[in-house]
Amino acid sequence: IVERNLKIIGKNLDLLDSFFADHEDLFAWQRPRAGSIAFPGLLKGSVDEFCDELVKKAGVLLLPGTLYGKEYNSFRIGFGRNDMAVALKKLEEFIRDS
């Protein structure tokens, strides 16, 4: 089970690295050293509005960092699941259409 999960996490981290490199004008990305959760920063606008619009328009749920404190204009993203490519495609479409 551990080997399977580490393989999924590694694959998803590569996808996230690529996605955030393509959008470094919108997000601050720091690859986590462990675990399957990251907190990328949103560089433009309100993270609360971003997460709200994203779930309503694209069906992608991200937890805004403001739930941890008003000063966190970031969001929680989990990447321990097999559907990361699908979620990133929806996020990409949302960004393109916004």
Side-chain angles (χ1 to χ4, degrees):
I1 292 174
V2 172
E3 185 177 326
R4 174 193 165 275
N5 289 346
L6 288 175
K7 192 174 188 178
I8 292 169
I9 290 168
K11 179 179 142 190
N12 289 340
L13 276 173
D14 290 342
L15 292 171
L16 288 166
D17 286 340
S18 178
F19 175 83
F20 286 116
D22 290 344
H23 298 287
E24 58 188 14
D25 59 322
L26 300 175
F27 305 106
W29 169 246
Q30 182 174 347
R31 187 183 235 249
R33 289 186 256 168
S36 61
I37 297 171
F39 292 88
L42 181 66
L43 299 176
K44 300 175 183 177
S46 160
V47 74
D48 291 314
E49 290 174 17
F50 175 78
C51 290
D52 186 55
E53 290 294 312
L54 181 62
V55 75
K56 287 178 181 174
K57 292 181 179 177
V60 176
L61 180 63
L62 296 175
L63 183 70
T66 53
L67 293 175
Y68 298 101
K70 291 181 182 181
E71 68 275 17
Y72 298 113
N73 204 50
S74 58
F75 52 90
R76 180 186 181 272
I77 187 169
F79 48 90
R81 298 175 52 155
N82 277 321
D83 60 353
M84 179 58 62
V86 173
L88 286 177
K89 181 179 179 190
K90 289 181 179 185
L91 180 53
E92 183 75 46
E93 291 169 356
F94 172 79
I95 291 168
R96 182 191 66 226
D97 295 341
S98 294

XYZ file of all heavy atoms in Angstrom:
780
model
N 0.831 -1.195 0.000
C 0.000 0.000 0.000
C 0.871 1.252 0.000
O 0.599 2.198 -0.725
C -0.970 -0.003 1.212
C -1.993 -1.113 1.036
C -1.661 1.335 1.341
C -2.903 -1.294 2.223
N 1.907 1.245 0.828
C 2.784 2.413 0.909
C 3.453 2.670 -0.443
O 3.489 3.812 -0.917
C 3.846 2.223 2.024
C 4.884 3.335 1.977
C 3.183 2.165 3.386
N 3.967 1.632 -1.062
C 4.629 1.796 -2.362
C 3.661 2.358 -3.405
O 4.003 3.258 -4.157
C 5.190 0.456 -2.835
C 5.989 0.555 -4.109
C 6.587 -0.787 -4.509
O 6.950 -1.573 -3.627
O 6.677 -1.028 -5.725
N 2.448 1.839 -3.418
C 1.420 2.315 -4.352
C 1.138 3.796 -4.121
O 1.101 4.594 -5.049
C 0.133 1.502 -4.183
C -1.035 2.016 -5.000
C -2.352 1.347 -4.527
N -3.507 2.028 -5.019
C -4.085 3.087 -4.460
N -3.606 3.608 -3.362
N -5.156 3.635 -4.987
N 0.942 4.186 -2.863
C 0.630 5.583 -2.539
C 1.789 6.521 -2.853
O 1.574 7.634 -3.347
C 0.217 5.707 -1.082
C -1.138 5.092 -0.822
O -1.888 4.793 -1.746
N -1.458 4.863 0.440
N 3.010 6.089 -2.587
C 4.169 6.925 -2.905
C 4.305 7.127 -4.409
O 4.708 8.209 -4.863
C 5.446 6.309 -2.329
C 5.590 6.384 -0.813
C 6.826 5.624 -0.351
C 5.637 7.830 -0.334
N 3.956 6.126 -5.172
C 3.993 6.234 -6.629
C 2.968 7.272 -7.118
O 3.266 8.108 -7.970
C 3.707 4.872 -7.254
C 3.981 4.780 -8.705
C 3.788 3.333 -9.169
C 4.252 3.157 -10.588
N 4.118 1.775 -11.033
N 1.762 7.219 -6.552
C 0.717 8.198 -6.895
C 1.162 9.606 -6.521
O 1.057 10.542 -7.320
C -0.617 7.843 -6.196
C -1.200 6.558 -6.776
C -1.623 8.989 -6.315
C -2.355 5.981 -5.978
N 1.681 9.767 -5.322
C 2.131 11.082 -4.854
C 3.254 11.615 -5.736
O 3.248 12.782 -6.127
C 2.566 11.008 -3.371
C 1.333 10.785 -2.485
C 3.334 12.256 -2.956
C 1.668 10.423 -1.053
N 4.221 10.786 -6.080
C 5.328 11.212 -6.934
C 4.854 11.660 -8.304
O 5.293 12.701 -8.820
N 3.952 10.891 -8.885
C 3.399 11.246 -10.198
C 2.651 12.572 -10.117
O 2.803 13.451 -10.970
C 2.464 10.136 -10.669
C 1.807 10.372 -11.999
C 0.923 9.178 -12.355
C -0.335 9.669 -13.022
N -1.345 8.650 -13.185
N 1.845 12.733 -9.071
C 1.070 13.958 -8.910
C 1.955 15.172 -8.633
O 1.666 16.279 -9.101
C 0.019 13.786 -7.821
C -1.102 12.876 -8.251
O -1.319 12.641 -9.439
N -1.828 12.348 -7.290
N 3.026 14.983 -7.898
C 3.953 16.095 -7.657
C 4.575 16.563 -8.967
O 4.749 17.768 -9.175
C 5.040 15.683 -6.661
C 4.668 15.815 -5.202
C 5.752 15.207 -4.320
C 4.429 17.266 -4.827
N 4.895 15.637 -9.846
C 5.435 16.027 -11.152
C 4.401 16.836 -11.938
O 4.741 17.842 -12.573
C 5.855 14.794 -11.956
C 7.076 14.106 -11.375
O 7.814 14.736 -10.579
O 7.306 12.930 -11.723
N 3.137 16.418 -11.884
C 2.065 17.156 -12.550
C 1.919 18.555 -11.957
O 1.767 19.542 -12.685
C 0.731 16.413 -12.442
C 0.599 15.098 -13.200
C -0.696 14.388 -12.813
C 0.657 15.336 -14.697
N 1.963 18.642 -10.630
C 1.835 19.931 -9.960
C 3.025 20.840 -10.271
O 2.843 22.038 -10.512
C 1.686 19.740 -8.454
C 0.345 19.167 -8.006
C 0.422 18.695 -6.561
C -0.766 20.186 -8.192
N 4.229 20.293 -10.272
C 5.415 21.086 -10.621
C 5.240 21.723 -11.996
O 5.501 22.917 -12.182
C 6.672 20.216 -10.623
C 7.167 19.839 -9.239
O 6.801 20.518 -8.255
O 7.940 18.868 -9.151
N 4.799 20.932 -12.937
C 4.606 21.416 -14.301
C 3.497 22.469 -14.373
O 3.666 23.526 -14.991
C 4.278 20.242 -15.226
O 4.050 20.676 -16.524
N 2.373 22.185 -13.722
C 1.250 23.118 -13.722
C 1.659 24.467 -13.136
O 1.418 25.521 -13.730
C 0.066 22.543 -12.937
C -1.062 23.499 -12.792
C -1.995 23.648 -13.798
C -1.183 24.281 -11.652
C -3.033 24.562 -13.677
C -2.219 25.190 -11.516
C -3.145 25.322 -12.532
N 2.279 24.444 -11.965
C 2.633 25.701 -11.306
C 3.768 26.427 -12.033
O 3.826 27.657 -12.003
C 2.946 25.472 -9.831
C 1.720 25.203 -9.008
C 1.535 23.987 -8.378
C 0.723 26.155 -8.888
C 0.395 23.730 -7.627
C -0.426 25.922 -8.146
C -0.584 24.707 -7.515
N 4.648 25.714 -12.706
C 5.674 26.365 -13.526
C 5.024 27.117 -14.682
O 5.475 28.208 -15.048
C 6.668 25.328 -14.056
N 3.956 26.563 -15.221
C 3.225 27.229 -16.308
C 2.429 28.439 -15.830
O 2.026 29.266 -16.645
C 2.256 26.249 -16.995
C 2.966 25.192 -17.812
O 4.162 25.364 -18.120
O 2.319 24.173 -18.136
N 2.186 28.520 -14.526
C 1.348 29.596 -13.976
C 2.044 30.318 -12.820
O 1.395 30.714 -11.850
C 0.007 29.019 -13.517
C -0.783 28.414 -14.615
N -1.413 29.169 -15.573
C -1.008 27.124 -14.937
C -2.017 28.365 -16.427
N -1.775 27.125 -16.075
N 3.346 30.523 -12.960
C 4.074 31.155 -11.855
C 3.712 32.625 -11.669
O 4.043 33.216 -10.642
C 5.578 30.978 -12.026
C 6.150 31.515 -13.295
C 7.607 31.119 -13.475
O 8.098 30.235 -12.767
O 8.254 31.731 -14.329
N 2.983 33.197 -12.630
C 2.497 34.563 -12.462
C 1.242 34.616 -11.580
O 0.884 35.664 -11.067
C 2.195 35.198 -13.815
C 1.159 34.421 -14.615
O 1.178 33.173 -14.578
O 0.329 35.052 -15.285
N 0.595 33.473 -11.383
C -0.633 33.408 -10.587
C -0.448 32.773 -9.215
O -1.189 33.083 -8.281
C -1.709 32.611 -11.340
C -2.144 33.143 -12.700
C -3.120 32.166 -13.346
C -2.777 34.504 -12.546
N 0.505 31.849 -9.116
C 0.654 31.057 -7.899
C 2.099 31.019 -7.418
O 3.029 31.025 -8.220
C 0.207 29.608 -8.142
C -1.181 29.476 -8.681
C -1.390 29.143 -10.006
C -2.287 29.673 -7.868
C -2.669 29.009 -10.527
C -3.567 29.543 -8.372
C -3.759 29.216 -9.700
N 2.273 30.950 -6.104
C 3.582 30.710 -5.493
C 3.604 29.240 -5.076
O 2.805 28.810 -4.242
C 3.772 31.608 -4.278
N 4.490 28.467 -5.681
C 4.541 27.023 -5.445
C 5.859 26.647 -4.793
O 6.941 27.020 -5.255
C 4.402 26.284 -6.762
C 4.679 24.815 -6.719
C 5.710 24.168 -7.346
C 3.929 23.795 -6.053
N 5.637 22.823 -7.116
C 4.552 22.555 -6.315
C 2.790 23.804 -5.258
C 4.076 21.345 -5.814
C 2.314 22.607 -4.754
C 2.941 21.400 -5.031
N 5.745 25.918 -3.701
C 6.910 25.322 -3.077
C 6.597 23.841 -2.895
O 5.654 23.481 -2.182
C 7.208 25.969 -1.726
C 8.444 25.407 -1.085
C 8.813 26.151 0.180
O 8.304 27.229 0.463
N 9.700 25.570 0.952
N 7.343 23.009 -3.580
C 7.119 21.563 -3.528
C 7.330 21.067 -2.096
O 8.373 21.320 -1.492
C 8.115 20.882 -4.463
C 7.885 19.405 -4.629
C 8.982 18.837 -5.522
N 8.439 18.140 -6.652
C 8.524 16.829 -6.810
N 9.127 16.082 -5.909
N 8.015 16.263 -7.874
N 6.335 20.381 -1.536
C 6.498 19.867 -0.184
C 7.556 18.762 -0.121
O 7.762 18.040 -1.094
C 5.110 19.309 0.172
C 4.309 19.349 -1.057
C 5.039 20.088 -2.102
N 8.202 18.649 1.017
C 9.236 17.629 1.191
C 8.676 16.300 1.667
O 9.349 15.280 1.584
C 10.289 18.116 2.178
C 11.133 19.226 1.582
C 12.242 19.590 2.504
N 11.885 20.854 3.141
C 12.494 21.366 4.166
N 13.506 20.741 4.710
N 12.112 22.513 4.671
N 7.452 16.329 2.177
C 6.831 15.099 2.679
C 5.320 15.273 2.664
O 4.807 16.389 2.607
C 7.306 14.809 4.102
N 4.620 14.169 2.698
C 3.170 14.194 2.772
C 2.511 14.364 1.411
O 3.168 14.356 0.375
N 1.201 14.509 1.449
C 0.429 14.613 0.210
C -0.476 15.840 0.198
O -1.527 15.852 -0.420
C -0.407 13.346 0.009
O -1.320 13.190 1.081
N -0.033 16.889 0.902
C -0.783 18.142 0.973
C 0.188 19.303 0.792
O 1.306 19.276 1.312
C -1.509 18.284 2.327
C -2.541 17.176 2.489
C -2.184 19.643 2.452
C -3.161 17.094 3.859
N -0.248 20.314 0.035
C 0.562 21.517 -0.158
C -0.327 22.743 0.012
O -1.554 22.641 0.000
C 1.198 21.506 -1.547
N 0.309 23.907 0.162
C -0.395 25.168 0.349
C 0.156 26.235 -0.593
O 0.844 27.162 -0.168
C -0.285 25.629 1.802
C -1.029 24.766 2.773
C -0.415 23.664 3.346
C -2.349 25.033 3.085
C -1.106 22.847 4.226
C -3.044 24.222 3.952
C -2.419 23.130 4.525
N -0.146 26.125 -1.895
C 0.322 27.147 -2.840
C -0.317 28.499 -2.532
O -1.471 28.580 -2.104
C -0.159 26.642 -4.200
C -0.545 25.218 -3.991
C -0.909 25.087 -2.560
N 0.450 29.554 -2.763
C -0.067 30.899 -2.564
C -0.739 31.417 -3.824
O -0.332 31.086 -4.939
N -1.779 32.203 -3.638
C -2.441 32.889 -4.743
C -1.846 34.286 -4.806
O -1.926 35.045 -3.832
C -3.951 32.941 -4.518
C -4.781 33.607 -5.608
C -4.721 32.784 -6.900
C -6.222 33.783 -5.162
N -1.248 34.652 -5.930
C -0.536 35.917 -6.051
C -1.421 37.093 -6.421
O -1.047 38.242 -6.195
C 0.599 35.783 -7.073
C 1.668 34.747 -6.731
C 2.685 34.644 -7.860
C 2.346 35.085 -5.414
N -2.585 36.815 -7.006
C -3.484 37.884 -7.442
C -4.887 37.611 -6.954
O -5.429 36.539 -7.194
C -3.496 37.985 -8.966
C -2.152 38.284 -9.576
C -2.215 38.257 -11.085
C -0.839 38.477 -11.679
N -0.842 38.381 -13.140
N -5.504 38.563 -6.289
C -6.890 38.428 -5.865
C -7.063 37.729 -4.532
O -6.105 37.391 -3.845
N -8.312 37.526 -4.205
C -8.704 36.911 -2.938
C -8.802 35.400 -3.087
O -9.497 34.896 -3.975
C -10.074 37.462 -2.521
O -10.703 36.623 -1.591
N -8.150 34.685 -2.208
C -8.203 33.219 -2.260
C -9.615 32.710 -1.957
O -10.038 31.695 -2.501
C -7.143 32.574 -1.344
C -7.527 32.701 0.123
C -6.918 31.126 -1.727
N -10.354 33.422 -1.123
C -11.728 33.010 -0.833
C -12.583 33.076 -2.098
O -13.327 32.135 -2.402
C -12.347 33.889 0.263
C -11.718 33.657 1.616
O -11.531 32.477 1.992
O -11.414 34.637 2.302
N -12.465 34.166 -2.836
C -13.219 34.308 -4.086
C -12.760 33.288 -5.121
O -13.572 32.698 -5.829
C -13.070 35.732 -4.632
C -13.782 36.765 -3.785
C -13.517 38.187 -4.248
O -13.047 38.378 -5.400
O -13.767 39.107 -3.457
N -11.453 33.080 -5.215
C -10.898 32.112 -6.155
C -11.454 30.710 -5.889
O -11.942 30.041 -6.809
C -9.364 32.110 -6.058
C -8.696 31.059 -6.892
C -8.552 31.230 -8.265
C -8.206 29.907 -6.310
C -7.928 30.259 -9.040
C -7.585 28.928 -7.072
C -7.450 29.109 -8.442
N -11.393 30.267 -4.648
C -11.878 28.928 -4.300
C -13.381 28.799 -4.497
O -13.863 27.759 -4.958
C -11.497 28.583 -2.859
S -9.721 28.324 -2.632
N -14.119 29.850 -4.169
C -15.574 29.834 -4.339
C -15.949 29.717 -5.815
O -16.786 28.895 -6.191
C -16.177 31.101 -3.723
C -17.685 31.091 -3.737
O -18.280 30.121 -3.209
O -18.274 32.036 -4.290
N -15.339 30.538 -6.652
C -15.621 30.493 -8.090
C -15.167 29.164 -8.700
O -15.842 28.615 -9.570
C -14.940 31.659 -8.809
C -15.558 32.998 -8.504
C -16.973 33.115 -9.032
O -17.216 32.775 -10.204
O -17.860 33.530 -8.252
N -14.038 28.650 -8.256
C -13.501 27.399 -8.790
C -14.445 26.233 -8.547
O -14.721 25.442 -9.451
C -12.128 27.115 -8.185
C -11.420 25.854 -8.648
C -11.133 25.901 -10.146
C -10.134 25.661 -7.860
N -14.985 26.136 -7.356
C -15.897 25.025 -7.072
C -17.227 25.198 -7.798
O -17.800 24.229 -8.295
C -16.092 24.814 -5.554
C -16.989 25.865 -4.926
C -16.636 23.415 -5.273
N -17.696 26.435 -7.901
C -18.972 26.674 -8.578
C -18.876 26.456 -10.085
O -19.778 25.879 -10.689
C -19.458 28.106 -8.307
C -19.975 28.312 -6.909
C -20.388 29.759 -6.697
C -20.889 29.983 -5.280
N -21.151 31.411 -5.024
N -17.800 26.918 -10.699
C -17.694 26.879 -12.159
C -17.004 25.625 -12.696
O -17.290 25.204 -13.808
C -16.947 28.114 -12.657
C -17.719 29.398 -12.448
C -16.959 30.592 -12.974
C -17.768 31.867 -12.786
N -17.027 33.058 -13.232
N -16.074 25.052 -11.924
C -15.292 23.926 -12.440
C -15.478 22.643 -11.642
O -15.014 21.590 -12.057
C -13.812 24.302 -12.482
N -16.122 22.740 -10.478
C -16.317 21.549 -9.662
C -15.057 21.057 -8.966
O -14.971 19.903 -8.565
N -14.075 21.948 -8.811
C -12.824 21.606 -8.129
C -12.844 22.278 -6.763
O -12.969 23.497 -6.665
C -11.594 22.067 -8.947
C -10.307 21.806 -8.188
C -11.569 21.380 -10.301
N -12.708 21.472 -5.723
C -12.774 21.971 -4.358
C -11.378 22.127 -3.773
O -10.629 21.159 -3.670
C -13.592 21.013 -3.493
C -13.761 21.375 -2.025
C -14.517 22.691 -1.875
C -14.483 20.261 -1.290
N -11.040 23.365 -3.425
C -9.800 23.678 -2.722
C -10.165 24.419 -1.448
O -11.078 25.239 -1.441
C -8.883 24.558 -3.577
C -8.359 23.952 -4.874
C -7.578 24.996 -5.664
C -7.491 22.745 -4.595
N -9.440 24.152 -0.391
C -9.701 24.794 0.893
C -8.894 26.080 0.989
O -7.661 26.050 0.904
C -9.308 23.847 2.029
C -9.579 24.324 3.434
C -11.077 24.359 3.706
C -8.890 23.414 4.429
N -9.573 27.230 1.132
C -8.821 28.484 1.241
C -8.030 28.562 2.547
O -8.512 28.165 3.611
C -9.902 29.567 1.177
C -11.180 28.894 1.523
C -11.012 27.440 1.184
N -6.810 29.083 2.440
C -5.949 29.202 3.609
C -6.472 30.142 4.666
O -6.052 30.091 5.818
N -7.411 31.021 4.293
C -7.969 31.961 5.265
C -8.725 31.241 6.384
O -8.960 31.836 7.426
C -8.911 32.962 4.569
O -9.883 32.238 3.806
C -8.128 33.901 3.660
N -9.053 29.989 6.180
C -9.675 29.220 7.265
C -8.683 28.968 8.394
O -9.078 28.680 9.522
C -10.235 27.895 6.740
C -11.411 28.034 5.779
C -11.809 26.675 5.225
C -12.603 28.683 6.467
N -7.395 29.084 8.093
C -6.347 28.926 9.104
C -5.921 30.265 9.681
O -5.283 30.322 10.715
C -5.132 28.220 8.499
C -5.432 26.829 8.008
C -5.637 26.585 6.657
C -5.540 25.762 8.890
C -5.923 25.305 6.198
C -5.831 24.491 8.448
C -6.022 24.273 7.100
O -6.312 23.014 6.649
N -6.219 31.352 8.964
C -5.865 32.691 9.406
C -6.042 33.662 8.254
O -5.781 33.326 7.103
N -6.504 34.863 8.562
C -6.798 35.859 7.523
C -5.584 36.201 6.667
O -5.729 36.625 5.521
C -7.354 37.128 8.161
C -8.726 36.954 8.748
C -9.233 38.244 9.340
C -10.593 38.024 9.971
N -11.145 39.254 10.530
N -4.406 36.019 7.212
C -3.188 36.406 6.501
C -2.744 35.400 5.438
O -1.828 35.665 4.668
C -2.037 36.636 7.494
C -1.552 35.389 8.200
C -2.323 34.997 9.455
O -3.441 35.474 9.674
O -1.782 34.190 10.225
N -3.400 34.241 5.343
C -2.978 33.198 4.409
C -3.766 33.260 3.098
O -4.848 32.712 2.981
C -3.127 31.815 5.037
C -2.261 31.620 6.257
C -2.834 31.462 7.511
C -0.880 31.617 6.148
C -2.045 31.290 8.633
C -0.077 31.453 7.262
C -0.674 31.284 8.503
O 0.110 31.126 9.610
N -3.204 33.922 2.110
C -3.826 33.986 0.780
C -3.295 32.803 -0.040
O -2.637 32.957 -1.062
C -3.545 35.316 0.090
C -4.600 35.628 -0.965
O -5.786 35.548 -0.674
N -4.176 35.960 -2.160
N -3.562 31.628 0.490
C -3.105 30.375 -0.114
C -4.263 29.393 -0.067
O -5.328 29.703 0.450
C -1.910 29.827 0.665
O -2.260 29.628 2.018
N -4.052 28.217 -0.620
C -5.090 27.192 -0.578
C -4.467 25.827 -0.328
O -3.307 25.584 -0.661
C -5.924 27.180 -1.865
C -5.123 27.093 -3.136
C -4.802 25.867 -3.684
C -4.703 28.241 -3.778
C -4.060 25.790 -4.855
C -3.978 28.178 -4.951
C -3.643 26.939 -5.491
N -5.243 24.977 0.270
C -4.806 23.615 0.573
C -5.160 22.734 -0.614
O -6.293 22.729 -1.082
C -5.528 23.118 1.821
C -5.170 21.722 2.238
C -6.079 21.325 3.413
N -5.789 20.006 3.907
C -6.332 18.889 3.439
N -7.203 18.934 2.456
N -6.013 17.728 3.952
N -4.167 21.994 -1.097
C -4.407 21.071 -2.194
C -3.837 19.706 -1.812
O -2.689 19.598 -1.396
C -3.808 21.600 -3.524
C -4.204 20.715 -4.688
C -2.317 21.777 -3.445
C -3.884 21.307 -6.045
N -4.682 18.695 -1.894
C -4.253 17.330 -1.629
C -3.925 16.645 -2.942
O -4.595 16.863 -3.945
N -2.885 15.809 -2.928
C -2.479 15.161 -4.172
C -2.151 13.686 -3.971
O -1.292 13.120 -4.641
C -1.306 15.898 -4.821
C -0.175 16.207 -3.872
C 0.871 15.326 -3.692
C -0.172 17.389 -3.163
C 1.915 15.608 -2.829
C 0.858 17.704 -2.298
C 1.901 16.803 -2.135
N -2.919 13.046 -3.115
C -2.723 11.623 -2.866
C -3.721 10.740 -3.596
O -3.842 9.563 -3.283
N -4.411 11.300 -4.578
C -5.445 10.544 -5.304
C -5.061 10.379 -6.764
O -4.258 11.136 -7.297
C -6.778 11.278 -5.201
C -7.266 11.400 -3.761
C -8.503 12.212 -3.677
N -9.513 11.711 -4.602
C -10.800 11.879 -4.468
N -11.254 12.550 -3.442
N -11.640 11.413 -5.345
N -5.691 9.429 -7.417
C -5.389 9.129 -8.813
C -5.955 10.125 -9.809
O -5.582 10.088 -10.977
C -5.908 7.739 -9.180
C -4.937 6.653 -8.777
O -3.734 6.817 -8.900
N -5.464 5.550 -8.299
N -6.838 11.013 -9.403
C -7.513 11.897 -10.355
C -6.892 13.294 -10.458
O -7.532 14.230 -10.908
C -8.997 12.001 -10.026
C -9.266 12.563 -8.633
O -8.317 12.747 -7.853
O -10.441 12.797 -8.327
N -5.637 13.442 -10.106
C -4.989 14.759 -10.138
C -4.972 15.346 -11.544
O -5.211 16.546 -11.724
C -3.558 14.672 -9.591
C -2.800 15.994 -9.618
S -3.574 17.342 -8.700
C -3.558 16.709 -7.050
N -4.706 14.541 -12.556
C -4.651 15.053 -13.928
C -5.996 15.647 -14.344
O -6.047 16.691 -14.992
C -4.218 13.957 -14.894
N -7.073 15.007 -13.952
C -8.420 15.493 -14.281
C -8.679 16.821 -13.566
O -9.171 17.775 -14.172
C -9.492 14.450 -13.891
C -10.890 15.006 -14.074
C -9.302 13.168 -14.686
N -8.341 16.890 -12.296
C -8.552 18.122 -11.521
C -7.716 19.272 -12.080
O -8.201 20.402 -12.196
C -8.218 17.873 -10.055
N -6.470 18.993 -12.450
C -5.626 20.052 -13.002
C -6.122 20.514 -14.364
O -6.013 21.697 -14.692
C -4.168 19.589 -13.089
C -3.429 19.514 -11.762
C -2.019 18.978 -11.969
C -3.395 20.863 -11.064
N -6.688 19.611 -15.136
C -7.265 20.003 -16.425
C -8.438 20.961 -16.201
O -8.563 21.977 -16.876
C -7.728 18.780 -17.197
C -8.302 19.114 -18.553
C -8.738 17.873 -19.303
C -9.332 18.299 -20.640
N -9.978 17.221 -21.325
N -9.279 20.656 -15.214
C -10.405 21.534 -14.894
C -9.913 22.878 -14.361
O -10.467 23.926 -14.693
C -11.325 20.869 -13.877
C -12.122 19.715 -14.446
C -13.024 19.129 -13.390
C -13.848 17.995 -13.959
N -14.822 17.486 -12.984
N -8.869 22.857 -13.552
C -8.299 24.094 -13.025
C -7.711 24.918 -14.173
O -7.894 26.135 -14.233
C -7.238 23.773 -11.973
C -6.536 24.940 -11.309
C -7.506 25.942 -10.710
C -5.575 24.427 -10.242
N -7.035 24.257 -15.090
C -6.469 24.938 -16.264
C -7.570 25.603 -17.093
O -7.439 26.758 -17.517
C -5.705 23.921 -17.119
C -5.009 24.514 -18.318
C -3.758 25.263 -17.942
O -2.952 24.745 -17.158
O -3.586 26.389 -18.448
N -8.648 24.898 -17.324
C -9.783 25.454 -18.081
C -10.400 26.636 -17.350
O -10.762 27.639 -17.970
C -10.834 24.371 -18.330
C -10.372 23.302 -19.296
C -11.288 22.088 -19.349
O -12.274 22.008 -18.568
O -10.988 21.186 -20.157
N -10.516 26.533 -16.042
C -11.071 27.630 -15.235
C -10.200 28.888 -15.383
O -10.705 29.983 -15.590
C -11.156 27.203 -13.768
C -11.531 28.318 -12.838
C -12.838 28.731 -12.716
C -10.562 28.948 -12.070
C -13.190 29.767 -11.850
C -10.893 29.974 -11.207
C -12.218 30.389 -11.103
N -8.884 28.710 -15.291
C -7.966 29.847 -15.416
C -8.074 30.450 -16.820
O -8.137 31.674 -16.969
C -6.519 29.400 -15.121
C -6.376 29.065 -13.631
C -5.521 30.473 -15.533
C -5.097 28.360 -13.287
N -8.098 29.612 -17.819
C -8.175 30.079 -19.210
C -9.458 30.856 -19.459
O -9.472 31.870 -20.144
C -8.097 28.885 -20.159
C -8.118 29.274 -21.635
C -8.303 28.097 -22.558
N -9.636 27.551 -22.344
C -9.916 26.260 -22.200
N -8.968 25.372 -22.238
N -11.147 25.841 -22.001
N -10.575 30.394 -18.894
C -11.875 31.004 -19.144
C -12.165 32.205 -18.251
O -13.149 32.908 -18.465
C -12.982 29.965 -18.993
C -12.889 28.859 -20.041
O -12.208 29.065 -21.085
O -13.473 27.785 -19.820
N -11.339 32.422 -17.233
C -11.570 33.529 -16.298
C -11.035 34.845 -16.813
O -10.207 34.949 -17.627
C -10.944 33.234 -14.941
O -11.593 32.150 -14.335
